[in-house]
Amino acid sequence: MAGGTCLCLVAMTVGDAIVPLVMPFVQTSILENDNDWRACEASIYALGLILEDPTIEKLSPWLSILLDNLVDVMFTSNSHVIDRTAWTLSHVFELHSPVAGHSVITQENLPRVIVALLDDLSDSSHIAEKKLGGVEKTNSVILKTAN
């Protein structure tokens, strides 16, 4: 947790400059998550921690590329990775929505995102809570764009 706090503070301080430092780790670890769940969880956590401070223009290309991979990770068997991914997706949908100027949620990927978030809500209560938080944020994005 101390490392996460440090990363968040660095992101707040340097803004866009954090993106090229963190995103290669995130991308590599998510794509190679089958062998090292700890690296996958850490990279997804790192992504979630830096979401607020870089500009949308700097993060959007990365988020668009990684969204499908994040959704895929929701179907892994490791509860730590699922928990962290649900939390991160919730933040992605909250901070990078059409209301904010850009959304990674499209009509094409929305059904898959919802299925991933609603999959196996019999997971432990803290995982189900994060999954439903993601559904709530997604729903908010949809309602705001409809108005």
Side-chain angles (χ1 to χ4, degrees), residues 100-111:
H102 181 270
S103 180
V104 295
I105 302 173
T106 64
Q107 287 184 324
E108 292 78 29
N109 65 23
L110 179 62

Side-chain angles (χ1 to χ4, degrees), residues 15-37:
D16 284 353
I18 196 77
V19 175
L21 301 172
V22 172
M23 295 311 286
F25 168 64
V26 171
Q27 187 175 26
T28 301
S29 297
I30 291 173
L31 295 176
E32 298 171 4
N33 71 358
D34 55 336
N35 294 328
D36 189 358
W37 70 264

Side-chain angles (χ1 to χ4, degrees), residues 42-91:
S43 67
I44 292 168
Y45 187 43
L47 173 61
L49 290 170
I50 69 164
L51 285 174
E52 287 187 49
D53 298 297
T55 60
I56 291 172
E57 294 78 25
K58 191 72 170 181
L59 271 177
S60 291
W62 286 100
L63 294 175
S64 296
I65 292 168
L66 290 174
L67 182 65
D68 284 339
N69 300 107
L70 288 169
V71 170
D72 290 341
V73 168
M74 291 293 291
F75 296 103
T76 65
S77 60
N78 187 287
S79 62
H80 299 286
V81 174
I82 295 168
D83 178 55
R84 194 64 74 194
T85 306
W87 174 80
T88 299
L89 284 172
S90 179
H91 286 296

